Protein backbone atom coordinates (compact mmCIF):
# COMPACT_ATOMS: atom_id res chain seq x y z
CA UNK A 1 0.00 0.00 0.00
CA UNK A 2 1.38 3.41 -0.95
CA UNK A 3 1.09 5.88 1.90
CA UNK A 4 1.40 9.64 1.43
CA UNK A 5 0.56 12.82 3.30
CA UNK A 6 -1.51 15.68 1.91
CA UNK A 7 -2.47 19.12 3.18
CA UNK A 8 -5.36 19.51 0.72
CA UNK A 9 -8.60 20.30 2.59
CA UNK A 10 -10.89 17.35 3.35
CA UNK A 11 -13.54 18.79 1.02
CA UNK A 12 -11.13 18.60 -1.90
CA UNK A 13 -9.46 15.27 -1.22
CA UNK A 14 -10.21 13.05 -4.20
CA UNK A 15 -10.52 9.53 -2.74
CA UNK A 16 -12.90 6.57 -3.01
CA UNK A 17 -13.35 6.64 0.72
CA UNK A 18 -12.49 9.18 3.38
CA UNK A 19 -12.12 7.90 6.92
CA UNK A 20 -12.85 10.52 9.58
CA UNK A 21 -12.20 9.50 13.20
CA UNK A 22 -14.27 11.66 15.56
CA UNK A 23 -14.40 12.24 19.28
CA UNK A 24 -17.59 12.34 21.35
CA UNK A 25 -17.04 16.09 21.85
CA UNK A 26 -16.92 16.71 18.10
CA UNK A 27 -20.07 14.69 17.66
CA UNK A 28 -21.85 16.59 20.40
CA UNK A 29 -20.71 19.93 18.96
CA UNK A 30 -22.57 19.05 15.75
CA UNK A 31 -19.78 18.14 13.30
CA UNK A 32 -20.02 21.60 11.74
CA UNK A 33 -16.67 21.40 9.91
CA UNK A 34 -17.74 18.18 8.24
CA UNK A 35 -21.16 19.58 7.32
CA UNK A 36 -19.46 22.57 5.75
CA UNK A 37 -17.24 20.31 3.66
CA UNK A 38 -19.74 17.63 2.73
CA UNK A 39 -23.21 19.11 3.05
CA UNK A 40 -26.42 17.84 4.61
CA UNK A 41 -25.55 14.11 4.45
CA UNK A 42 -23.59 14.63 7.64
CA UNK A 43 -26.53 16.25 9.42
CA UNK A 44 -28.90 13.46 8.32
CA UNK A 45 -26.50 10.74 9.51
CA UNK A 46 -25.71 12.42 12.82
CA UNK A 47 -28.11 10.47 15.02
CA UNK A 48 -26.78 7.14 13.63
CA UNK A 49 -23.18 7.91 14.46
CA UNK A 50 -21.78 6.26 17.59
CA UNK A 51 -19.08 8.14 19.38
CA UNK A 52 -17.68 5.07 21.12
CA UNK A 53 -16.13 3.33 18.12
CA UNK A 54 -18.50 0.36 18.16
CA UNK A 55 -19.70 1.12 14.62
CA UNK A 56 -18.50 2.53 11.35
CA UNK A 57 -21.07 4.83 9.72
CA UNK A 58 -20.85 5.02 5.94
CA UNK A 59 -22.37 7.93 4.06
CA UNK A 60 -22.44 9.30 0.54
CA UNK A 61 -22.04 13.09 0.51
CA UNK A 62 -23.55 15.32 -2.14
CA UNK A 63 -20.80 17.88 -1.72
CA UNK A 64 -17.00 17.57 -1.61
CA UNK A 65 -14.84 15.29 -3.75
CA UNK A 66 -14.65 12.10 -1.65
CA UNK A 67 -16.99 9.36 -2.90
CA UNK A 68 -17.76 7.97 0.55
CA UNK A 69 -17.23 9.07 4.11
CA UNK A 70 -16.66 6.59 6.94
CA UNK A 71 -17.08 7.93 10.45
CA UNK A 72 -15.76 5.99 13.43
CA UNK A 73 -16.00 7.25 17.01
CA UNK A 74 -12.94 7.46 19.26
CA UNK A 75 -14.77 8.02 22.57
CA UNK A 76 -14.03 11.01 24.82
CA UNK A 77 -10.99 12.91 23.55
CA UNK A 78 -9.23 12.69 26.93
CA UNK A 79 -9.48 8.87 26.81
CA UNK A 80 -8.17 8.38 23.29
CA UNK A 81 -5.23 5.96 23.22
CA UNK A 82 -3.01 4.76 20.39
CA UNK A 83 -4.78 1.42 20.55
CA UNK A 84 -8.19 3.10 20.11
CA UNK A 85 -6.83 4.86 17.02
CA UNK A 86 -5.58 1.56 15.59
CA UNK A 87 -8.92 -0.12 16.25
CA UNK A 88 -10.89 2.73 14.66
CA UNK A 89 -8.65 2.67 11.61
CA UNK A 90 -9.07 -1.09 11.28
CA UNK A 91 -12.87 -0.61 11.21
CA UNK A 92 -12.40 1.80 8.33
CA UNK A 93 -10.09 -0.73 6.68
CA UNK A 94 -12.78 -3.43 6.79
CA UNK A 95 -15.28 -1.10 5.13
CA UNK A 96 -12.69 -0.08 2.52
CA UNK A 97 -11.91 -3.72 1.86
CA UNK A 98 -15.55 -4.65 1.34
CA UNK A 99 -16.11 -1.72 -1.03
CA UNK A 100 -12.84 -2.35 -2.89
CA UNK A 101 -11.93 1.30 -2.37
CA UNK A 102 -8.66 1.84 -4.23
CA UNK A 103 -7.78 5.19 -2.71
CA UNK A 104 -8.51 5.95 0.90
CA UNK A 105 -7.98 9.14 2.87
CA UNK A 106 -7.61 9.44 6.62
CA UNK A 107 -8.33 12.81 8.22
CA UNK A 108 -5.93 13.25 11.14
CA UNK A 109 -7.94 14.35 14.20
CA UNK A 110 -6.51 16.98 16.49
CA UNK A 111 -5.83 15.31 19.82
CA UNK A 112 -3.55 15.79 22.76
CA UNK A 113 -1.44 12.85 21.46
CA UNK A 114 1.27 14.23 19.15
CA UNK A 115 0.96 14.14 15.37
CA UNK A 116 3.70 11.49 14.85
CA UNK A 117 2.12 8.92 17.10
CA UNK A 118 -1.44 9.64 15.94
CA UNK A 119 -0.47 9.19 12.30
CA UNK A 120 1.58 6.07 13.04
CA UNK A 121 -1.26 4.41 14.97
CA UNK A 122 -3.86 5.23 12.30
CA UNK A 123 -1.68 3.92 9.48
CA UNK A 124 -0.81 0.78 11.45
CA UNK A 125 -4.46 0.10 12.21
CA UNK A 126 -5.45 0.66 8.60
CA UNK A 127 -2.69 -1.44 7.00
CA UNK A 128 -3.02 -4.25 9.56
CA UNK A 129 -6.81 -4.17 9.32
CA UNK A 130 -6.59 -4.45 5.52
CA UNK A 131 -4.47 -7.60 5.66
CA UNK A 132 -6.01 -10.79 4.26
CA UNK A 133 -4.15 -14.02 3.56
CA UNK A 134 -5.44 -15.09 0.14
CA UNK A 135 -2.54 -17.20 -1.18
CA UNK A 136 -4.51 -20.44 -1.18
CA UNK A 137 -7.89 -19.13 -2.33
CA UNK A 138 -8.75 -20.27 -5.83
CA UNK A 139 -12.39 -19.11 -5.84
CA UNK A 140 -13.78 -15.65 -5.75
CA UNK A 141 -12.11 -13.41 -3.22
CA UNK A 142 -14.55 -10.79 -2.03
CA UNK A 143 -13.04 -7.42 -1.35
CA UNK A 144 -9.64 -5.97 -1.98
CA UNK A 145 -7.16 -3.93 0.03
CA UNK A 146 -6.71 -0.26 -0.82
CA UNK A 147 -3.74 0.59 -3.02
CA UNK A 148 -3.23 4.14 -1.91
CA UNK A 149 -3.63 5.70 1.49
CA UNK A 150 -3.54 9.48 1.84
CA UNK A 151 -3.13 10.97 5.28
CA UNK A 152 -4.81 14.36 5.34
CA UNK A 153 -3.66 16.97 7.80
CA UNK A 154 -3.91 20.72 8.07
CA UNK A 155 -0.87 21.30 10.26
CA UNK A 156 2.30 19.63 11.61
CA UNK A 157 2.60 17.86 8.28
CA UNK A 158 6.30 17.07 8.85
CA UNK A 159 5.56 15.15 12.03
CA UNK A 160 2.56 13.49 10.45
CA UNK A 161 4.71 12.39 7.51
CA UNK A 162 7.30 10.85 9.84
CA UNK A 163 4.63 9.00 11.81
CA UNK A 164 2.86 7.80 8.67
CA UNK A 165 6.14 6.42 7.28
CA UNK A 166 6.88 4.61 10.52
CA UNK A 167 3.37 3.20 10.64
CA UNK A 168 3.64 1.86 7.11
CA UNK A 169 7.09 0.32 7.68
CA UNK A 170 6.13 -1.33 10.95
CA UNK A 171 2.77 -2.61 9.69
CA UNK A 172 4.32 -4.06 6.53
CA UNK A 173 6.89 -5.86 8.69
CA UNK A 174 4.06 -7.29 10.81
CA UNK A 175 2.41 -8.51 7.59
CA UNK A 176 5.66 -10.27 6.61
CA UNK A 177 5.53 -12.16 9.90
CA UNK A 178 1.84 -12.96 9.41
CA UNK A 179 2.51 -14.31 5.91
CA UNK A 180 5.28 -16.58 7.19
CA UNK A 181 3.10 -17.94 9.99
CA UNK A 182 0.10 -18.48 7.72
CA UNK A 183 2.15 -20.33 5.11
CA UNK A 184 1.37 -24.02 4.72
CA UNK A 185 3.98 -26.14 6.58
CA UNK A 186 5.10 -27.91 3.40
CA UNK A 187 6.07 -24.53 1.98
CA UNK A 188 8.24 -23.65 4.96
CA UNK A 189 10.62 -26.51 5.59
CA UNK A 190 13.72 -25.18 7.39
CA UNK A 191 15.49 -24.88 4.03
CA UNK A 192 12.62 -23.01 2.36
CA UNK A 193 12.16 -20.85 5.46
CA UNK A 194 15.82 -19.86 5.47
CA UNK A 195 15.59 -19.04 1.75
CA UNK A 196 12.68 -16.73 2.54
CA UNK A 197 14.83 -15.07 5.22
CA UNK A 198 17.68 -14.63 2.72
CA UNK A 199 15.26 -13.01 0.30
CA UNK A 200 13.95 -10.69 3.01
CA UNK A 201 17.53 -9.64 3.85
CA UNK A 202 18.31 -8.82 0.23
CA UNK A 203 15.10 -6.85 -0.19
CA UNK A 204 15.38 -4.86 3.02
CA UNK A 205 19.13 -4.40 3.25
CA UNK A 206 20.31 -6.56 6.16
CA UNK A 207 22.85 -9.41 6.05
CA UNK A 208 21.83 -13.06 6.27
CA UNK A 209 23.96 -16.18 6.52
CA UNK A 210 22.46 -19.64 6.64
CA UNK A 211 24.12 -22.58 8.34
CA UNK A 212 23.34 -25.98 6.82
CA UNK A 213 23.23 -29.26 8.76
CA UNK A 214 26.99 -29.86 8.36
CA UNK A 215 27.81 -26.47 9.87
CA UNK A 216 25.23 -26.97 12.62
CA UNK A 217 27.01 -30.23 13.49
CA UNK A 218 30.39 -28.55 13.37
CA UNK A 219 29.20 -25.80 15.71
CA UNK A 220 27.80 -28.41 18.10
CA UNK A 221 24.15 -27.35 18.10
CA UNK A 222 23.19 -30.65 19.67
CA UNK A 223 19.83 -29.56 21.08
CA UNK A 224 18.71 -28.50 17.60
CA UNK A 225 20.06 -31.74 16.12
CA UNK A 226 18.28 -33.86 18.75
CA UNK A 227 14.91 -32.30 17.92
CA UNK A 228 15.63 -32.71 14.20
CA UNK A 229 16.39 -36.45 14.46
CA UNK A 230 12.86 -37.58 13.61
CA UNK A 231 12.63 -35.31 10.60
CA UNK A 232 13.00 -35.92 6.86
CA UNK A 233 14.21 -32.34 6.47
CA UNK A 234 17.59 -31.01 7.64
CA UNK A 235 17.64 -28.15 10.16
CA UNK A 236 18.96 -24.67 9.43
CA UNK A 237 20.37 -21.95 11.63
CA UNK A 238 20.01 -18.43 10.27
CA UNK A 239 22.11 -15.49 11.38
CA UNK A 240 20.64 -12.08 10.51
CA UNK A 241 22.64 -8.93 10.98
CA UNK A 242 21.90 -5.21 10.86
CA UNK A 243 25.07 -3.29 11.60
CA UNK A 244 24.92 0.30 10.31
CA UNK A 245 28.00 2.51 10.49
CA UNK A 246 26.29 4.93 12.85
CA UNK A 247 25.38 2.20 15.39
CA UNK A 248 25.12 3.61 18.90
CA UNK A 249 26.12 0.30 20.52
CA UNK A 250 29.32 -1.70 20.04
CA UNK A 251 28.00 -4.90 21.64
CA UNK A 252 24.98 -6.15 19.72
CA UNK A 253 21.40 -6.56 20.79
CA UNK A 254 20.51 -10.16 19.89
CA UNK A 255 17.03 -11.36 18.97
CA UNK A 256 16.45 -15.12 19.10
CA UNK A 257 13.31 -16.60 17.50
CA UNK A 258 11.94 -20.12 17.97
CA UNK A 259 11.71 -21.58 14.47
CA UNK A 260 9.88 -24.88 14.89
CA UNK A 261 8.29 -24.97 11.45
CA UNK A 262 5.89 -27.67 12.58
CA UNK A 263 5.47 -29.17 16.05
CA UNK A 264 3.80 -32.59 16.10
CA UNK A 265 5.15 -33.07 19.62
CA UNK A 266 7.49 -35.77 18.29
CA UNK A 267 7.09 -39.17 19.94
CA UNK A 268 5.23 -37.38 22.75
CA UNK A 269 2.66 -36.78 20.03
CA UNK A 270 0.13 -33.96 20.36
CA UNK A 271 -3.60 -34.56 19.86
CA UNK A 272 -4.85 -32.96 16.63
CA UNK A 273 -7.84 -30.89 17.71
CA UNK A 274 -7.05 -27.47 19.21
CA UNK A 275 -3.44 -28.49 19.58
CA UNK A 276 -1.41 -29.92 16.68
CA UNK A 277 -3.83 -28.30 14.22
CA UNK A 278 -2.31 -24.85 14.87
CA UNK A 279 1.32 -25.91 15.15
CA UNK A 280 2.40 -24.46 11.81
CA UNK A 281 2.55 -21.32 13.96
CA UNK A 282 5.36 -22.72 16.11
CA UNK A 283 7.80 -20.57 14.15
CA UNK A 284 5.97 -17.34 15.02
CA UNK A 285 8.86 -16.21 17.23
CA UNK A 286 11.25 -16.61 14.31
CA UNK A 287 8.79 -14.80 12.03
CA UNK A 288 8.67 -11.87 14.44
CA UNK A 289 12.48 -11.64 14.40
CA UNK A 290 12.44 -11.55 10.58
CA UNK A 291 9.75 -8.86 10.59
CA UNK A 292 11.68 -6.82 13.17
CA UNK A 293 14.90 -6.97 11.12
CA UNK A 294 12.92 -5.70 8.11
CA UNK A 295 11.45 -2.87 10.14
CA UNK A 296 14.69 -1.66 11.73
CA UNK A 297 16.53 -1.83 8.40
CA UNK A 298 13.80 0.21 6.71
CA UNK A 299 13.72 2.66 9.63
CA UNK A 300 17.52 2.88 9.36
CA UNK A 301 17.77 2.42 13.11
CA UNK A 302 21.26 3.30 14.42
CA UNK A 303 21.70 0.08 16.41
CA UNK A 304 23.77 -3.08 15.92
CA UNK A 305 21.26 -5.94 16.01
CA UNK A 306 21.75 -9.67 15.35
CA UNK A 307 18.95 -12.18 14.82
CA UNK A 308 19.43 -15.91 15.47
CA UNK A 309 16.90 -18.44 14.17
CA UNK A 310 17.26 -22.16 14.81
CA UNK A 311 14.77 -23.98 12.55
CA UNK A 312 13.53 -27.54 12.39
CA UNK A 313 10.30 -29.46 12.54
CA UNK A 314 9.54 -31.79 15.45
CA UNK A 315 8.34 -35.20 14.29
CA UNK A 316 8.14 -38.83 15.40
CA UNK A 317 10.47 -40.41 12.80
CA UNK A 318 12.32 -43.72 12.99
CA UNK A 319 15.36 -42.02 14.44
CA UNK A 320 13.45 -39.49 16.55
CA UNK A 321 14.79 -38.52 19.96
CA UNK A 322 12.99 -40.33 22.76
CA UNK A 323 11.98 -39.64 26.36
CA UNK A 324 15.00 -40.77 28.32
CA UNK A 325 17.61 -39.52 25.87
CA UNK A 326 20.32 -37.41 27.47
CA UNK A 327 21.65 -34.62 25.25
CA UNK A 328 24.92 -32.83 25.82
CA UNK A 329 23.95 -29.34 24.71
CA UNK A 330 25.95 -26.67 22.83
CA UNK A 331 26.88 -25.12 26.17
CA UNK A 332 28.23 -28.42 27.52
CA UNK A 333 25.39 -28.89 30.01
CA UNK A 334 23.46 -32.17 29.87
CA UNK A 335 19.68 -32.41 29.52
CA UNK A 336 17.50 -35.42 30.15
CA UNK A 337 14.64 -35.33 27.66
CA UNK A 338 11.48 -36.49 29.37
CA UNK A 339 8.99 -35.09 26.88
CA UNK A 340 9.86 -34.63 23.21
CA UNK A 341 7.13 -32.00 22.95
CA UNK A 342 9.22 -29.63 25.07
CA UNK A 343 11.42 -29.12 21.99
CA UNK A 344 11.40 -25.33 21.85
CA UNK A 345 13.67 -24.96 24.88
CA UNK A 346 16.09 -27.53 23.36
CA UNK A 347 16.71 -25.47 20.22
CA UNK A 348 16.56 -22.09 21.99
CA UNK A 349 19.08 -23.18 24.62
CA UNK A 350 21.68 -23.77 21.89
CA UNK A 351 20.93 -20.44 20.20
CA UNK A 352 21.14 -18.65 23.56
CA UNK A 353 24.44 -20.26 24.45
CA UNK A 354 25.82 -19.42 21.00
CA UNK A 355 24.63 -15.80 21.48
CA UNK A 356 27.13 -15.48 24.32
CA UNK A 357 30.03 -15.49 21.82
CA UNK A 358 28.90 -12.03 20.61
CA UNK A 359 29.29 -10.51 24.12
CA UNK A 360 25.80 -9.08 23.67
CA UNK A 361 24.48 -6.01 25.44
CA UNK A 362 21.16 -7.80 25.81
CA UNK A 363 19.43 -10.84 24.29
CA UNK A 364 15.68 -11.13 23.76
CA UNK A 365 14.14 -14.43 22.76
CA UNK A 366 10.63 -14.68 21.36
CA UNK A 367 8.98 -18.08 21.35
CA UNK A 368 5.69 -19.95 21.19
CA UNK A 369 7.05 -21.89 24.10
CA UNK A 370 4.30 -23.13 26.42
CA UNK A 371 0.59 -23.86 26.44
CA UNK A 372 0.78 -22.76 30.09
CA UNK A 373 1.28 -19.15 28.94
CA UNK A 374 -2.12 -19.32 27.21
CA UNK A 375 -3.69 -20.80 30.34
CA UNK A 376 -2.20 -18.03 32.49
CA UNK A 377 -2.79 -14.97 30.30
CA UNK A 378 -5.10 -15.85 27.40
CA UNK A 379 -4.49 -14.99 23.79
CA UNK A 380 -4.14 -11.21 23.75
CA UNK A 381 -1.04 -10.78 25.85
CA UNK A 382 2.40 -12.41 26.04
CA UNK A 383 4.26 -13.54 29.17
CA UNK A 384 7.61 -11.87 29.82
CA UNK A 385 10.42 -12.92 32.12
CA UNK A 386 13.97 -11.75 32.76
CA UNK A 387 17.05 -12.99 34.58
CA UNK A 388 18.58 -11.49 37.68
CA UNK A 389 21.56 -9.87 35.86
CA UNK A 390 22.08 -6.17 36.60
CA UNK A 391 19.29 -3.84 35.57
CA UNK A 392 16.57 -6.48 35.65
CA UNK A 393 13.89 -4.12 36.95
CA UNK A 394 14.61 -1.47 34.31
CA UNK A 395 14.71 -4.12 31.62
CA UNK A 396 11.31 -5.41 32.60
CA UNK A 397 9.92 -1.87 32.75
CA UNK A 398 11.34 -1.13 29.28
CA UNK A 399 9.77 -4.15 27.63
CA UNK A 400 6.42 -3.56 29.32
CA UNK A 401 6.47 0.06 28.13
CA UNK A 402 7.36 -0.99 24.58
CA UNK A 403 4.42 -3.39 24.79
CA UNK A 404 1.87 -0.80 25.85
CA UNK A 405 3.14 1.78 23.34
CA UNK A 406 3.20 -0.63 20.42
CA UNK A 407 0.01 -2.58 21.16
CA UNK A 408 1.90 -5.91 21.53
CA UNK A 409 1.29 -6.08 25.27
CA UNK A 410 3.32 -8.23 27.69
CA UNK A 411 2.86 -9.13 31.35
CA UNK A 412 5.61 -10.32 33.73
CA UNK A 413 5.87 -13.68 35.50
CA UNK A 414 8.25 -14.27 38.44
CA UNK A 415 11.58 -16.09 38.17
CA UNK A 416 12.22 -17.21 41.76
CA UNK A 417 14.98 -19.79 42.16
CA UNK A 418 12.62 -22.20 43.91
CA UNK A 419 11.29 -23.06 40.45
CA UNK A 420 14.66 -24.64 39.60
CA UNK A 421 13.70 -27.58 41.83
CA UNK A 422 11.14 -28.63 39.21
CA UNK A 423 13.69 -29.07 36.42
CA UNK A 424 16.31 -31.03 38.38
CA UNK A 425 17.11 -34.38 36.77
CA UNK A 426 18.13 -37.50 38.67
CA UNK A 427 20.81 -38.33 36.09
CA UNK A 428 21.68 -35.14 34.15
CA UNK A 429 22.20 -31.43 34.86
CA UNK A 430 18.60 -30.60 33.89
CA UNK A 431 15.45 -32.21 32.60
CA UNK A 432 13.38 -30.60 29.87
CA UNK A 433 10.02 -30.64 31.70
CA UNK A 434 9.02 -29.11 35.00
CA UNK A 435 5.72 -30.80 35.87
CA UNK A 436 2.20 -29.41 36.01
CA UNK A 437 2.65 -26.17 37.93
CA UNK A 438 4.08 -22.94 36.50
CA UNK A 439 4.91 -24.39 33.07
CA UNK A 440 5.87 -21.06 31.49
CA UNK A 441 8.17 -20.20 34.37
CA UNK A 442 9.95 -23.56 34.51
CA UNK A 443 10.52 -23.32 30.74
CA UNK A 444 12.11 -19.90 31.27
CA UNK A 445 14.16 -21.20 34.23
CA UNK A 446 15.43 -23.95 31.92
CA UNK A 447 16.56 -21.35 29.35
CA UNK A 448 18.15 -19.25 32.09
CA UNK A 449 20.74 -22.02 32.55
CA UNK A 450 22.08 -21.18 29.09
CA UNK A 451 22.46 -17.39 29.39
CA UNK A 452 25.21 -15.30 30.98
CA UNK A 453 24.12 -11.81 29.93
CA UNK A 454 21.07 -9.55 30.45
CA UNK A 455 18.19 -11.45 28.92
CA UNK A 456 14.45 -11.10 28.27
CA UNK A 457 12.24 -14.04 27.39
CA UNK A 458 8.87 -13.45 25.69
CA UNK A 459 6.47 -16.40 25.51
CA UNK A 460 4.04 -15.60 22.68
CA UNK A 461 2.16 -18.93 22.61
CA UNK A 462 -1.12 -17.06 23.24
CA UNK A 463 -1.18 -13.95 21.04
CA UNK A 464 0.82 -15.24 18.02
CA UNK A 465 -2.03 -17.13 16.39
CA UNK A 466 -5.79 -16.57 16.66
CA UNK A 467 -8.54 -19.12 16.07
CA UNK A 468 -10.89 -16.18 15.51
CA UNK A 469 -10.07 -12.71 14.22
CA UNK A 470 -10.37 -9.62 16.40
CA UNK A 471 -9.58 -5.91 16.06
CA UNK A 472 -6.92 -5.45 13.42
CA UNK A 473 -6.00 -9.18 13.32
CA UNK A 474 -7.71 -11.79 11.19
CA UNK A 475 -7.81 -15.43 12.29
CA UNK A 476 -4.33 -16.96 11.90
CA UNK A 477 -0.91 -15.40 12.39
CA UNK A 478 -0.97 -12.00 14.08
CA UNK A 479 2.67 -10.99 13.63
CA UNK A 480 2.85 -10.45 17.39
CA UNK A 481 6.33 -9.43 18.50
CA UNK A 482 7.32 -7.28 15.54
CA UNK A 483 5.84 -4.10 16.98
CA UNK A 484 7.05 -4.99 20.48
CA UNK A 485 10.67 -5.57 19.45
CA UNK A 486 10.78 -2.67 17.01
CA UNK A 487 9.47 -0.28 19.63
CA UNK A 488 11.86 -1.65 22.27
CA UNK A 489 14.80 -1.13 19.90
CA UNK A 490 13.62 2.36 18.89
CA UNK A 491 13.36 3.34 22.55
CA UNK A 492 16.81 1.87 23.25
CA UNK A 493 18.39 3.80 20.40
CA UNK A 494 16.73 7.01 21.67
CA UNK A 495 18.21 6.38 25.13
CA UNK A 496 21.67 6.17 23.57
CA UNK A 497 21.40 9.50 21.80
N1 LIG B 1 4.75 -25.30 20.75
C1 LIG B 1 4.33 -25.76 22.00
C2 LIG B 1 3.69 -24.68 22.88
C3 LIG B 1 2.40 -24.07 22.38
C4 LIG B 1 1.19 -24.51 22.88
C5 LIG B 1 2.39 -23.01 21.51
C6 LIG B 1 0.01 -23.94 22.46
C7 LIG B 1 1.22 -22.43 21.09
C8 LIG B 1 0.01 -22.88 21.57
C9 LIG B 1 5.52 -26.31 22.80
O1 LIG B 1 6.53 -26.87 22.03
C10 LIG B 1 4.98 -27.38 23.69
O2 LIG B 1 4.49 -28.34 23.18
N2 LIG B 1 5.10 -27.18 24.99
C11 LIG B 1 4.63 -28.13 25.93
C12 LIG B 1 5.65 -28.24 27.04
C13 LIG B 1 5.39 -29.37 28.00
C14 LIG B 1 5.55 -30.68 27.32
C15 LIG B 1 6.36 -29.23 29.14
C16 LIG B 1 3.29 -27.61 26.48
O3 LIG B 1 3.13 -26.42 26.66
O4 LIG B 1 2.41 -28.43 26.70
ZN1 LIG C 1 6.21 -28.92 21.56
ZN1 LIG D 1 6.75 -26.12 20.09
Amino acid sequence: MKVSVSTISIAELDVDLLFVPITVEELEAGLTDLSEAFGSAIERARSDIRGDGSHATVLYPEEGTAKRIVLVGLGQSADVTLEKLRLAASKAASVSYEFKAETVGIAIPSLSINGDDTAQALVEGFVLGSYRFTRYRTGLVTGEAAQRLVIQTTDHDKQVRRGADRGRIVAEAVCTARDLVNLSPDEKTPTLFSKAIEKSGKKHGYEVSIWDKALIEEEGMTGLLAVNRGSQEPPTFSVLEWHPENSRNSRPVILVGKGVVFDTGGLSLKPTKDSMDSMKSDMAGAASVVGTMEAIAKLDLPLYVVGLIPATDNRPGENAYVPGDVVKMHSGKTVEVLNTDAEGRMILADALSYASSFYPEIVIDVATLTGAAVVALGDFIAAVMTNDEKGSEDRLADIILAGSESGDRVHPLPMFDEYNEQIKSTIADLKNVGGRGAGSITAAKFLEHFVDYPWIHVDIAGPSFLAQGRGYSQAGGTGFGVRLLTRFLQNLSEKKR
Side-chain angles (χ1 to χ4, degrees), residues 165-167 169-170 242 294-302 486 490:
D165 280 343
R166 280 188 191 160
I169 289 168
V170 172
W242 170 247
E294 288 189 355
I296 61 172
K298 276 281 162 287
L299 292 166
D300 209 8
L301 201 71
T486 304
Q490 281 179 313

Side-chain angles (χ1 to χ4, degrees), residues 82 114 374:
L82 296 178
N114 68 41
V374 195

